Every structure is written in C-alpha cells, then in structure tokens.
Amino acid sequence: MRRRATRLAGGVTLVTAFAVALSGCVASERDAEGGEGGGNGGDGTFVFAGSAEPSSLDPAFASDGETFRVARQIFEGLVGVEPGTADPAPLLAESWDVSEDGLEYTFHLKEDVKFHDDTDFNAEAVCFNFDRWHDWTGLAAHENLSYYYKVVFGGTGEDSLYESCEASDDATAVVTLKEPIPELVPALSLPSFAMQSPTALEEFGADEVEGTSDAPKLTEYGKEHPVGTGPYEFKEWKSGESVTLTANDTYWGEIADVKTIVFTVIADGTARRQALEAGDIDGYDLVAPADVDALKEADYTILDRDAFNILYLGMNQAQEPLDDIKVRQAIAHAIDKDGLVQAALPEGTEPATQFVPEIVTGFSENVQTYEYDPEKAKALLKEAGQENLEIEFNYPTEVSRPYMPDAAAIFEAISADLEEVGITSKATPEPWSPTYIDTIQGGEKHGLHLLGWTGDYNDTYNFIGTFFGAKSLEWGFDDPEVFQAIKDARNAPLEEQEAAYMNANEVIMEALPGVPLASPVPSLVVAPEVEGYPISPVQDEVYNVITLGGGE
C-alpha cells in the first residue's frame, strides 16, 4: 500500500512549522471534545498522527496506506485478517465455500448487522458492492482510481474476471467468476473491497468521478459521507488537518476505551515526535530510526512490524537507455545496498535480492544477483555505449513510508553510487501527492524512481503480480516471458505453487525491470498509557481493541 496521499506544504521548513501548528490544533480539538488535553484524556479520545492525509474516504478508489488506516475503522469486508498476521480470517462473512473449479464462492454472512445509516447488511448489499466494482466506466475505471480492482479482477466490465453475484437468501451471497482468482479470499481483506452502504453510495453519487485521471476530484460520498459497518463512524474531515471518527453505538462487536479517533496530519518526522512528547498526540507511525532509543528510554512503547515490504529502484523501460538490459545491469551493480542500509534505513533491515521479502512464499535462493561492483558497472556501460550518462531520477518529498523513511537520504546514497560509475542523476523531487504518484504510475515521462510496497495480504502474487503481472506505465516494458511466469505461478496447483513462484522470481531478476533494495523494519510508537495497540504486518489495525490507562 503505497500510493496517493494529499500534498500539504511546499517545503521542509514550512511542513515542519505547519505540523507543529497542527499538533496544537489537535490538542484544542481534544479539549473541545471534553477531555483534559494532553496525553489521552479521560474522554476516550485517541489521536494518531500520520505522515499524510487520506486520498479519499471511499477506499474502493484508493490504494494508499493513510486512506486504508482510516477506512479500516469505518468499513469492514467479508474477509478480515487474523490478528498479528497477514493471514485471512472471517469478518462479515463467517465462512465461505469454494467450488472445485475455483469459479464459485459461497459466502455465509454475519446476521443482524447494519450499516451506519441503518441500511441492512445482507447478501443484496454484498452483490451491490461486487456489481458496483464491475460496472465502473470512464474515469472511475482508470487504474489511478480503481487500482486494486484491476490488479485482482483484471479490469472492469468485459475485462473483469467477475461474472455475477446472487443472493440465495439474506445471509448467503454466491459470487461467480469467469476464471479462477486463486488469491481472492485474502485479497478481499483489502479495504478497497470493504462493504459500503448501497443507500449512501447511490444517494451521494459515489461513482460520479470528475476531473482527469491525473487529478480526479473526490465525489460528495468520498469527501463527506462514507458509510460502513465498522466500529467507528465518520464525523468530520478538515482537509490538510485531520479526520475525526466517533464510536458506532450500534456496532455488532465490542468497542473498548477509544470512543473518538482523530487522525492528524504531521508530515515531518521530527514534528511528529515533538507532538507525542508534548502530549498532543497518542501515537504515530514511521518512527525515524534515530529516534527509537530515545523514545524507549522515555517509556514510550515502540512496536515493530514485520518487514513485510520491499523498497525498490524502478527503471522505466519506455525511456532510453533504460530499455537496454546492459544499462539496467550496470545500475544494479553500481548500488552499494549494504552501505544504503547502514546510511538510511532502520536497524534490522536486510538488503533485498528480489521483489518479495524473505518471509513470503516463493522467495528463491537462486535468483540472479547483482553484487556491488563499480568496475563491472563501468564495463557494462561501455559495452552499451553509454559512458557519461545522465538519467532522470524521480523521488518523493513530504512523505515517509514504511519502506522508505527518508526518500531524500536514499536518493542521495544511490545517486552518489551512480556518480562513481559515470552516471549523473538528474534529480526530480516531487511532492508525494498529487504529483509524484501520478508521474510514476500515470505516465511514461519518468526514468529511475524510488518506490516500494507493503504487502496487503500473505500471497506472492500481491507483490510480483502487482508489479509485473501485466503491462503498466510505471515499468514501461512488455515481456511475455515475465507475464507468463507469473500467470503460471498464480494458477498452479497449490502443491506446485511455491516452486512456480520461485521460478517467476528468477525470471524477473533475469529481466531486471528494477533493483530491489531492501525490506525495512517499520516502527510505530504510542504513549505509555496506550495498551493493546493491534500491531499488524499488513496494517490491519482497528482501534476498538485499544485500552487507555489512567495517565496523569
């Protein structure tokens, strides 16, 4: 989960100052809610700082972590995640059956559940959502919006692998596919496939997307009226500042101490830490490696997620000379991954050899590796006739990601390595949103670029299929061998799938569409009084289980 998040300010100094101001606003908001201000007051308010705001309140049109963080509190899917793991578990569907040919899924639904607007959650609502995704046209069907539906279902309309959904009765929905989607059950745990109120979707024009693919405009639903079945309801979105949620009084499950959630936006990592130390927030994500020890000594709780991610250097083959395998090999040999890890990534991070972390099934010990070898890089460039080469190098600003805590530092380390072998980097920094992601994924005019991926669920296809399962504007290549190897692995019998994914990883690293750099260990911090934070490798962190101790 890596994509769009809204831009805040124009420069680091402004961002820091703005962030400090925001933390003051949050403290005032908490006072207004009836708490005592500072810490986690007695009003049950939990304030959490992210590095960016959500791109939308409609998770079906989102693919970024900040949107999903909010969405998981409001919405629930048929399938959830086993606490503390990346494995699927029942949620709104209590169980499911899959036909032998993999084309029919029968979901047995939880009963007596209502959406926040009092609409019944039932099989008809399930089918409404499945049909909604399938029927998108125009801008709504563009990969910049309906990204995950395209990745999992292959496309909308006639291009979709979805055939139909029927309500056998209120508690039974039968979904039929045109072709098998082996990873469908874990994929349905994504917030993009959460169940949303049919009433609200229609009333507030959820699919009436305007603007352009590069700059879509949020619908009324996506700005002000998200309606799910989750433990928290939407209250307010102050653009550029915060999103506020309140407890769902009719929630089918339990809600512990957190009755109000405020997600505030503090782009700068130092400002996030200062806001925590001042008692203006109760926790934040993406702790800077240099801050971990000091926060531990001050009795804050540091929570480490598993390194279920990959940071990579992308190479867009639609731009010469990145279409030349020798140039791509030269770049790979030029990068000192061990030095990069030591200089710019958290303790415990390991250099990567392929586009999946080591804990994912299909990781291969036999992939082609590209050891740090500046002399070999120079020789390859000479063979390619590309000495004294200048290449555009895109990297994001105003953001921290779990796989990329400091993009500028990573850029500096890699560009210095490239300079050593005769490659000059034409630095192209851009704000994470709306500019950077649209540049990388929405057009061909980029060269080298820094990006990464945090796994959405425990399936190899979620990594390499997302990256390389079909042609895309990010990578700019059309390689039938790569596409077929991934497809073969995806559709292989279960007992053969691991070996098939190993082969796919080996084929990818021979083609070398980019350089996998590392799998960083992302850290999160909460105040000492916050207990039971549901840390998750896929960030399935819903706050209804948190308890708040009696802070002063």
Side-chain angles (χ1 to χ4, degrees), residues 145-224:
L145 280 88
S146 49
Y147 175 81
Y148 274 114
Y149 190 78
K150 177 183 177 182
V151 168
V152 175
F153 288 89
T156 56
E158 292 300 314
D159 294 329
S160 175
L161 299 182
Y162 168 79
E163 179 70 41
S164 65
C165 179
E166 294 185 7
S168 298
D169 54 51
D170 279 353
T172 310
V174 181
V175 174
T176 303
L177 306 177
K178 298 174 185 175
E179 297 179 21
I181 303 176
E183 71 282 358
L184 180 61
V185 167
L188 289 177
S189 68
L190 281 168
S192 292
F193 302 122
M195 295 292 104
Q196 306 195 45
S197 165
T199 305
L201 289 168
E202 289 188 322
E203 181 179 354
F204 300 107
D207 297 334
E208 297 170 8
V209 183
E210 298 179 348
T212 67
S213 60
D214 289 338
K217 296 180 181 178
L218 296 180
T219 66
E220 185 180 1
Y221 179 88
K223 288 186 293 186
E224 299 176 348

Coordinates of all heavy atoms in Angstrom, one line a residue, residues 145-224:
L145 N -7.6 5.2 -10.1 CA -8.7 5.1 -9.1 C -9.0 3.7 -8.6 O -8.7 3.3 -7.5 CB -9.9 5.8 -9.6 CG -9.9 7.3 -9.5 CD1 -9.2 7.9 -10.7 CD2 -11.3 7.9 -9.3
S146 N -9.4 2.9 -9.6 CA -9.8 1.5 -9.2 C -8.7 0.6 -9.3 O -8.8 -0.5 -9.9 CB -11.0 1.1 -10.1 OG -10.8 1.3 -11.5
Y147 N -7.6 0.9 -8.7 CA -6.3 0.2 -8.9 C -6.4 -1.2 -8.5 O -6.0 -2.1 -9.2 CB -5.2 1.0 -8.1 CG -3.9 0.2 -8.1 CD1 -3.0 0.3 -9.2 CD2 -3.5 -0.6 -7.1 CE1 -1.8 -0.3 -9.2 CE2 -2.3 -1.3 -7.1 CZ -1.5 -1.1 -8.1 OH -0.3 -1.8 -8.2
Y148 N -6.9 -1.5 -7.2 CA -6.9 -2.8 -6.7 C -7.9 -3.7 -7.4 O -7.7 -4.9 -7.6 CB -7.1 -2.8 -5.2 CG -5.9 -2.6 -4.4 CD1 -5.7 -1.5 -3.7 CD2 -4.9 -3.6 -4.5 CE1 -4.5 -1.3 -2.9 CE2 -3.7 -3.4 -3.7 CZ -3.5 -2.2 -3.0 OH -2.4 -2.0 -2.3
Y149 N -9.0 -3.2 -7.9 CA -9.9 -4.0 -8.6 C -9.3 -4.5 -9.9 O -9.4 -5.7 -10.3 CB -11.2 -3.2 -8.9 CG -12.3 -4.2 -9.5 CD1 -13.0 -5.0 -8.6 CD2 -12.5 -4.3 -10.8 CE1 -14.0 -5.8 -9.1 CE2 -13.5 -5.1 -11.3 CZ -14.2 -5.9 -10.4 OH -15.2 -6.8 -10.9
K150 N -8.5 -3.6 -10.6 CA -7.9 -4.1 -11.8 C -6.8 -5.1 -11.5 O -6.7 -6.1 -12.2 CB -7.2 -2.9 -12.5 CG -6.4 -3.2 -13.7 CD -5.7 -2.1 -14.4 CE -4.9 -2.5 -15.6 NZ -4.1 -1.4 -16.2
V151 N -6.1 -4.9 -10.4 CA -5.0 -5.9 -10.1 C -5.6 -7.3 -9.8 O -5.1 -8.3 -10.2 CB -4.2 -5.4 -8.9 CG1 -3.3 -6.5 -8.3 CG2 -3.3 -4.2 -9.3
V152 N -6.6 -7.3 -9.0 CA -7.2 -8.6 -8.6 C -8.1 -9.2 -9.6 O -8.0 -10.4 -9.9 CB -7.9 -8.4 -7.2 CG1 -8.6 -9.7 -6.8 CG2 -6.9 -8.0 -6.1
F153 N -9.0 -8.4 -10.2 CA -10.0 -8.9 -11.1 C -9.7 -8.7 -12.6 O -10.5 -9.1 -13.4 CB -11.4 -8.2 -10.8 CG -12.0 -8.7 -9.5 CD1 -11.8 -8.1 -8.3 CD2 -12.9 -9.8 -9.5 CE1 -12.3 -8.5 -7.1 CE2 -13.5 -10.3 -8.3 CZ -13.2 -9.6 -7.1
G154 N -8.6 -8.1 -12.8 CA -8.1 -8.0 -14.2 C -8.6 -6.8 -15.0 O -8.1 -6.4 -16.0
G155 N -9.6 -6.1 -14.5 CA -10.2 -5.0 -15.2 C -11.7 -4.9 -14.9 O -12.3 -5.7 -14.2
T156 N -12.3 -3.9 -15.4 CA -13.8 -3.7 -15.2 C -14.5 -4.1 -16.4 O -14.0 -4.4 -17.5 CB -14.1 -2.2 -14.9 OG1 -13.6 -1.4 -16.0 CG2 -13.4 -1.7 -13.6
G157 N -15.9 -4.2 -16.3 CA -16.7 -4.6 -17.4 C -16.3 -5.9 -18.0 O -16.1 -6.9 -17.3
E158 N -16.2 -6.0 -19.3 CA -15.9 -7.2 -20.0 C -14.5 -7.7 -19.7 O -14.2 -8.9 -19.9 CB -16.0 -7.0 -21.6 CG -17.4 -6.8 -22.0 CD -18.3 -8.0 -21.7 OE1 -17.9 -9.1 -21.9 OE2 -19.5 -7.8 -21.2
D159 N -13.6 -6.9 -19.2 CA -12.3 -7.3 -18.9 C -12.2 -7.9 -17.5 O -11.1 -8.5 -17.2 CB -11.3 -6.1 -18.9 CG -11.2 -5.5 -20.3 OD1 -11.2 -6.3 -21.3 OD2 -10.9 -4.3 -20.4
S160 N -13.2 -7.8 -16.8 CA -13.2 -8.4 -15.4 C -13.4 -9.9 -15.4 O -14.1 -10.5 -16.2 CB -14.3 -7.7 -14.6 OG -14.4 -8.3 -13.3
L161 N -12.7 -10.5 -14.4 CA -12.9 -12.0 -14.2 C -14.1 -12.3 -13.4 O -14.5 -13.4 -13.2 CB -11.6 -12.5 -13.5 CG -10.3 -12.4 -14.2 CD1 -9.2 -13.1 -13.4 CD2 -10.4 -13.0 -15.6
Y162 N -14.8 -11.2 -12.9 CA -16.1 -11.4 -12.2 C -17.2 -11.6 -13.2 O -17.3 -11.0 -14.2 CB -16.3 -10.1 -11.4 CG -17.7 -10.0 -10.8 CD1 -18.0 -10.7 -9.6 CD2 -18.6 -9.1 -11.4 CE1 -19.3 -10.5 -9.1 CE2 -19.9 -9.0 -10.8 CZ -20.2 -9.7 -9.7 OH -21.5 -9.5 -9.1
E163 N -18.0 -12.6 -12.8 CA -19.2 -12.9 -13.7 C -20.5 -12.4 -13.1 O -21.2 -11.7 -13.7 CB -19.3 -14.5 -13.9 CG -20.5 -14.9 -14.7 CD -20.4 -14.5 -16.2 OE1 -19.2 -14.7 -16.7 OE2 -21.4 -14.1 -16.8
S164 N -20.8 -12.8 -11.8 CA -22.1 -12.4 -11.3 C -22.1 -12.6 -9.7 O -21.2 -13.3 -9.2 CB -23.2 -13.2 -11.9 OG -23.1 -14.6 -11.5
C165 N -23.1 -12.1 -9.1 CA -23.3 -12.3 -7.7 C -24.8 -12.5 -7.5 O -25.6 -11.7 -8.0 CB -22.8 -11.1 -6.8 SG -23.1 -11.3 -5.1
E166 N -25.2 -13.5 -6.7 CA -26.6 -13.7 -6.5 C -26.8 -13.9 -5.0 O -26.0 -14.5 -4.3 CB -27.1 -15.0 -7.2 CG -27.1 -14.9 -8.7 CD -27.6 -16.1 -9.4 OE1 -28.2 -17.0 -8.6 OE2 -27.6 -16.2 -10.6
A167 N -27.9 -13.4 -4.5 CA -28.3 -13.5 -3.1 C -29.2 -14.7 -3.0 O -30.4 -14.7 -3.3 CB -29.0 -12.3 -2.6
S168 N -28.7 -15.8 -2.5 CA -29.6 -17.0 -2.3 C -30.6 -16.8 -1.2 O -31.8 -17.2 -1.3 CB -28.7 -18.2 -1.9 OG -27.8 -18.5 -2.9
D169 N -30.2 -16.1 -0.2 CA -31.1 -15.6 0.9 C -30.4 -14.4 1.5 O -29.3 -14.1 1.1 CB -31.5 -16.7 1.9 CG -30.3 -17.4 2.5 OD1 -29.4 -16.7 3.0 OD2 -30.2 -18.6 2.4
D170 N -30.9 -13.9 2.6 CA -30.3 -12.7 3.2 C -28.9 -12.9 3.7 O -28.1 -12.0 3.7 CB -31.2 -12.2 4.3 CG -32.3 -11.3 3.9 OD1 -32.4 -11.0 2.6 OD2 -33.2 -11.0 4.7
A171 N -28.6 -14.2 4.1 CA -27.4 -14.5 4.7 C -26.4 -15.3 3.8 O -25.4 -15.8 4.3 CB -27.6 -15.2 6.0
T172 N -26.7 -15.4 2.5 CA -25.9 -16.2 1.6 C -25.7 -15.5 0.3 O -26.7 -15.2 -0.4 CB -26.5 -17.6 1.3 OG1 -26.8 -18.2 2.6 CG2 -25.5 -18.5 0.6
A173 N -24.5 -15.1 0.0 CA -24.1 -14.5 -1.3 C -23.2 -15.4 -2.1 O -22.2 -15.9 -1.6 CB -23.4 -13.2 -1.1
V174 N -23.6 -15.6 -3.4 CA -22.8 -16.5 -4.2 C -22.1 -15.7 -5.3 O -22.8 -15.1 -6.2 CB -23.7 -17.6 -4.9 CG1 -22.8 -18.6 -5.7 CG2 -24.4 -18.4 -3.8
V175 N -20.8 -15.7 -5.3 CA -20.0 -14.9 -6.3 C -19.5 -15.9 -7.3 O -18.8 -16.9 -7.0 CB -18.9 -14.1 -5.6 CG1 -18.0 -13.4 -6.7 CG2 -19.5 -13.1 -4.7
T176 N -19.7 -15.6 -8.6 CA -19.2 -16.5 -9.7 C -18.2 -15.7 -10.5 O -18.4 -14.6 -10.9 CB -20.4 -17.0 -10.6 OG1 -21.4 -17.6 -9.8 CG2 -19.9 -17.9 -11.7
L177 N -17.1 -16.4 -10.9 CA -16.0 -15.9 -11.7 C -16.0 -16.5 -13.1 O -16.5 -17.6 -13.3 CB -14.7 -16.1 -11.0 CG -14.5 -15.7 -9.5 CD1 -13.1 -16.1 -9.0 CD2 -14.7 -14.2 -9.4
K178 N -15.4 -15.7 -14.0 CA -15.2 -16.3 -15.3 C -14.0 -17.2 -15.4 O -13.9 -18.2 -16.1 CB -15.0 -15.1 -16.3 CG -16.1 -14.2 -16.5 CD -15.7 -13.0 -17.4 CE -16.8 -12.0 -17.5 NZ -16.4 -10.8 -18.3
E179 N -13.0 -16.8 -14.6 CA -11.7 -17.6 -14.5 C -11.3 -17.6 -13.0 O -11.7 -16.6 -12.3 CB -10.6 -17.0 -15.3 CG -10.8 -17.0 -16.8 CD -9.6 -16.4 -17.5 OE1 -8.5 -16.3 -17.0 OE2 -9.9 -15.9 -18.7
P180 N -10.6 -18.6 -12.5 CA -10.2 -18.6 -11.1 C -9.3 -17.4 -10.8 O -8.5 -16.9 -11.5 CB -9.4 -19.9 -11.0 CG -9.9 -20.8 -12.1 CD -10.2 -19.8 -13.3
I181 N -9.5 -16.9 -9.5 CA -8.6 -16.0 -8.9 C -8.1 -16.6 -7.6 O -8.8 -16.5 -6.6 CB -9.3 -14.6 -8.6 CG1 -9.9 -14.0 -9.9 CG2 -8.4 -13.6 -8.0 CD1 -10.7 -12.8 -9.6
P182 N -7.0 -17.3 -7.7 CA -6.6 -18.1 -6.5 C -6.4 -17.4 -5.2 O -6.6 -17.9 -4.1 CB -5.2 -18.7 -7.0 CG -5.3 -18.7 -8.5 CD -6.1 -17.5 -8.8
E183 N -6.0 -16.1 -5.3 CA -5.8 -15.3 -4.1 C -7.0 -14.5 -3.7 O -6.9 -13.5 -2.9 CB -4.6 -14.4 -4.2 CG -4.8 -13.2 -5.2 CD -4.7 -13.6 -6.7 OE1 -4.4 -14.8 -7.0 OE2 -4.9 -12.7 -7.5
L184 N -8.2 -14.8 -4.2 CA -9.4 -13.9 -4.0 C -9.7 -13.8 -2.5 O -10.0 -12.7 -2.1 CB -10.6 -14.5 -4.7 CG -11.9 -13.7 -4.6 CD1 -11.7 -12.2 -5.1 CD2 -13.1 -14.3 -5.2
V185 N -9.7 -14.9 -1.7 CA -10.1 -14.7 -0.3 C -9.2 -13.8 0.4 O -9.7 -12.8 1.1 CB -10.2 -16.1 0.3 CG1 -10.3 -16.0 1.9 CG2 -11.4 -16.9 -0.2
P186 N -7.9 -14.0 0.4 CA -7.0 -13.0 1.1 C -7.1 -11.6 0.5 O -7.1 -10.6 1.2 CB -5.6 -13.5 1.0 CG -5.7 -14.6 -0.1 CD -7.1 -15.1 -0.1
A187 N -7.3 -11.5 -0.8 CA -7.4 -10.2 -1.4 C -8.7 -9.4 -0.9 O -8.6 -8.2 -0.8 CB -7.5 -10.3 -2.9
L188 N -9.7 -10.1 -0.6 CA -10.9 -9.5 -0.1 C -10.8 -8.9 1.3 O -11.7 -8.1 1.8 CB -12.1 -10.5 -0.1 CG -12.6 -10.9 -1.5 CD1 -13.7 -11.9 -1.3 CD2 -13.1 -9.7 -2.3
S189 N -9.6 -9.1 1.9 CA -9.4 -8.4 3.2 C -8.9 -7.0 3.0 O -8.8 -6.2 3.9 CB -8.3 -9.2 4.0 OG -7.0 -9.1 3.4
L190 N -8.6 -6.6 1.7 CA -8.2 -5.2 1.5 C -9.3 -4.2 1.7 O -10.5 -4.5 1.3 CB -7.8 -5.1 0.0 CG -6.4 -5.6 -0.4 CD1 -6.2 -5.7 -1.9 CD2 -5.3 -4.6 0.2
P191 N -9.1 -3.1 2.3 CA -10.1 -2.1 2.4 C -10.8 -1.7 1.1 O -11.9 -1.2 1.1 CB -9.4 -0.9 3.0 CG -8.3 -1.5 3.8 CD -7.8 -2.7 2.9
S192 N -10.1 -1.8 0.0 CA -10.7 -1.5 -1.3 C -11.9 -2.3 -1.6 O -12.8 -1.9 -2.4 CB -9.7 -1.7 -2.4 OG -8.6 -0.8 -2.4
F193 N -12.0 -3.5 -1.0 CA -13.1 -4.4 -1.2 C -14.0 -4.5 0.0 O -14.8 -5.4 0.2 CB -12.6 -5.8 -1.5 CG -11.7 -5.8 -2.8 CD1 -10.4 -6.3 -2.7 CD2 -12.2 -5.3 -4.0 CE1 -9.6 -6.3 -3.9 CE2 -11.4 -5.3 -5.1 CZ -10.1 -5.8 -5.1
A194 N -14.0 -3.4 0.9 CA -14.9 -3.4 2.0 C -16.3 -3.2 1.6 O -16.6 -2.6 0.5 CB -14.4 -2.2 2.9
M195 N -17.2 -3.6 2.4 CA -18.7 -3.4 2.1 C -19.1 -2.0 2.5 O -18.8 -1.5 3.6 CB -19.5 -4.5 2.9 CG -19.2 -5.9 2.5 SD -19.8 -6.3 0.8 CE -18.3 -6.3 -0.1
Q196 N -19.8 -1.4 1.5 CA -20.2 0.0 1.8 C -21.8 0.1 1.6 O -22.3 -0.8 0.8 CB -19.5 1.0 0.8 CG -18.0 0.8 0.9 CD -17.3 2.0 0.2 OE1 -17.7 3.1 0.4 NE2 -16.3 1.7 -0.6
S197 N -22.4 1.0 2.2 CA -23.8 1.1 2.2 C -24.4 1.4 0.8 O -24.1 2.4 0.3 CB -24.3 2.2 3.2 OG -25.7 2.5 2.9
P198 N -25.2 0.5 0.2 CA -25.7 0.8 -1.1 C -26.6 2.1 -1.1 O -26.5 2.9 -2.1 CB -26.6 -0.4 -1.4 CG -26.0 -1.5 -0.6 CD -25.5 -0.9 0.7
T199 N -27.2 2.4 0.0 CA -28.0 3.6 0.1 C -27.2 4.8 0.0 O -27.5 5.7 -0.8 CB -28.8 3.6 1.5 OG1 -29.6 2.4 1.6 CG2 -29.7 4.8 1.6
A200 N -26.1 4.9 0.8 CA -25.2 6.0 0.7 C -24.5 6.2 -0.6 O -24.3 7.3 -1.1 CB -24.2 6.0 1.9
L201 N -24.0 5.0 -1.1 CA -23.3 5.1 -2.4 C -24.1 5.7 -3.5 O -23.7 6.5 -4.3 CB -22.9 3.7 -2.8 CG -21.8 3.0 -2.0 CD1 -21.7 1.5 -2.3 CD2 -20.4 3.7 -2.2
E202 N -25.4 5.4 -3.5 CA -26.3 5.9 -4.5 C -26.7 7.4 -4.2 O -26.7 8.3 -5.1 CB -27.6 5.1 -4.7 CG -27.3 3.7 -5.3 CD -28.6 3.0 -5.6 OE1 -29.5 3.0 -4.8 OE2 -28.7 2.3 -6.7
E203 N -27.0 7.6 -3.0 CA -27.5 9.0 -2.6 C -26.5 10.0 -2.8 O -26.8 11.2 -3.2 CB -28.0 8.9 -1.1 CG -28.5 10.3 -0.6 CD -29.0 10.3 0.8 OE1 -29.0 9.1 1.5 OE2 -29.3 11.3 1.4
F204 N -25.2 9.7 -2.5 CA -24.2 10.7 -2.6 C -23.2 10.6 -3.8 O -22.1 11.1 -3.8 CB -23.4 10.8 -1.3 CG -24.3 11.1 -0.1 CD1 -24.6 10.1 0.8 CD2 -24.8 12.3 0.1 CE1 -25.4 10.3 1.9 CE2 -25.6 12.6 1.2 CZ -25.9 11.6 2.1
G205 N -23.7 9.9 -4.8 CA -23.0 9.8 -6.1 C -21.6 9.3 -6.0 O -20.7 10.0 -6.6
A206 N -21.4 8.2 -5.4 CA -20.0 7.7 -5.1 C -19.2 7.5 -6.4 O -18.0 7.6 -6.4 CB -20.1 6.4 -4.3
D207 N -19.9 7.1 -7.5 CA -19.2 6.8 -8.7 C -19.2 8.0 -9.8 O -18.7 7.8 -10.9 CB -19.8 5.6 -9.4 CG -19.7 4.3 -8.5 OD1 -18.7 4.3 -7.7 OD2 -20.5 3.4 -8.6
E208 N -19.7 9.1 -9.4 CA -19.7 10.3 -10.3 C -18.4 11.0 -10.2 O -18.3 12.2 -9.8 CB -20.9 11.1 -9.9 CG -22.2 10.4 -10.1 CD -23.4 11.2 -9.6 OE1 -23.2 12.3 -9.2 OE2 -24.5 10.6 -9.6
V209 N -17.3 10.4 -10.6 CA -16.0 10.9 -10.5 C -15.8 11.9 -11.6 O -16.0 11.7 -12.8 CB -14.9 9.8 -10.6 CG1 -13.5 10.4 -10.4 CG2 -15.2 8.8 -9.5
E210 N -15.3 13.1 -11.3 CA -14.9 14.1 -12.3 C -13.5 14.5 -12.2 O -12.7 13.9 -11.5 CB -15.8 15.4 -12.0 CG -17.3 15.2 -12.1 CD -18.1 16.4 -11.8 OE1 -17.5 17.4 -11.3 OE2 -19.3 16.4 -12.1
G211 N -13.1 15.4 -13.1 CA -11.6 15.7 -13.2 C -11.0 14.9 -14.3 O -11.6 14.6 -15.3
T212 N -9.7 14.6 -14.1 CA -8.9 13.8 -15.0 C -8.2 12.7 -14.3 O -8.2 12.7 -13.0 CB -7.8 14.7 -15.7 OG1 -6.8 15.1 -14.6 CG2 -8.4 16.0 -16.3
S213 N -7.7 11.8 -15.0 CA -7.0 10.6 -14.4 C -5.8 11.1 -13.6 O -5.5 10.5 -12.6 CB -6.6 9.6 -15.5 OG -5.6 10.2 -16.4
D214 N -5.2 12.2 -14.0 CA -4.0 12.7 -13.2 C -4.5 13.5 -12.0 O -3.8 13.6 -11.0 CB -3.2 13.6 -14.1 CG -2.4 12.8 -15.1 OD1 -2.2 11.6 -14.9 OD2 -2.0 13.4 -16.2
A215 N -5.7 14.1 -12.1 CA -6.2 14.9 -11.0 C -7.7 14.7 -10.8 O -8.5 15.5 -11.1 CB -5.9 16.4 -11.3
P216 N -8.1 13.5 -10.4 CA -9.5 13.2 -10.1 C -10.0 14.0 -9.0 O -9.3 14.3 -8.0 CB -9.5 11.7 -9.8 CG -8.2 11.4 -9.3 CD -7.2 12.3 -10.0
K217 N -11.3 14.4 -9.0 CA -12.0 15.1 -8.0 C -12.8 14.2 -7.1 O -13.5 13.3 -7.7 CB -12.9 16.2 -8.5 CG -12.1 17.3 -9.3 CD -13.1 18.3 -9.9 CE -12.3 19.4 -10.7 NZ -13.2 20.4 -11.2
L218 N -12.7 14.3 -5.8 CA -13.5 13.5 -4.9 C -15.0 13.7 -5.1 O -15.4 14.8 -5.3 CB -13.1 13.7 -3.5 CG -11.6 13.4 -3.1 CD1 -11.4 13.7 -1.6 CD2 -11.3 12.0 -3.3
T219 N -15.7 12.6 -5.0 CA -17.2 12.7 -5.1 C -17.7 13.2 -3.7 O -16.9 13.2 -2.7 CB -17.8 11.4 -5.4 OG1 -17.5 10.5 -4.3 CG2 -17.3 10.8 -6.7
E220 N -19.0 13.6 -3.7 CA -19.5 14.0 -2.4 C -19.4 12.9 -1.4 O -19.1 13.1 -0.2 CB -21.0 14.4 -2.6 CG -21.7 14.9 -1.3 CD -23.1 15.3 -1.5 OE1 -23.6 15.2 -2.6 OE2 -23.7 15.8 -0.5
Y221 N -19.7 11.6 -1.8 CA -19.5 10.5 -0.9 C -18.1 10.4 -0.4 O -17.8 10.2 0.8 CB -19.9 9.2 -1.7 CG -19.8 7.9 -0.9 CD1 -20.8 7.5 -0.1 CD2 -18.6 7.2 -0.9 CE1 -20.7 6.4 0.7 CE2 -18.5 6.0 -0.1 CZ -19.5 5.6 0.7 OH -19.4 4.5 1.5
G222 N -17.1 10.5 -1.3 CA -15.7 10.3 -1.0 C -15.1 11.4 -0.1 O -14.1 11.3 0.5
K223 N -15.9 12.5 0.0 CA -15.4 13.6 0.8 C -16.1 13.7 2.2 O -15.5 14.1 3.2 CB -15.6 15.0 0.1 CG -14.7 15.3 -1.1 CD -14.9 16.7 -1.6 CE -16.3 16.8 -2.2 NZ -16.4 18.2 -2.9
E224 N -17.4 13.3 2.2 CA -18.2 13.7 3.4 C -19.2 12.6 3.9 O -19.7 12.7 5.0 CB -19.1 14.9 3.1 CG -18.3 16.1 2.8 CD -19.1 17.3 2.4 OE1 -20.4 17.1 2.2 OE2 -18.6 18.4 2.3

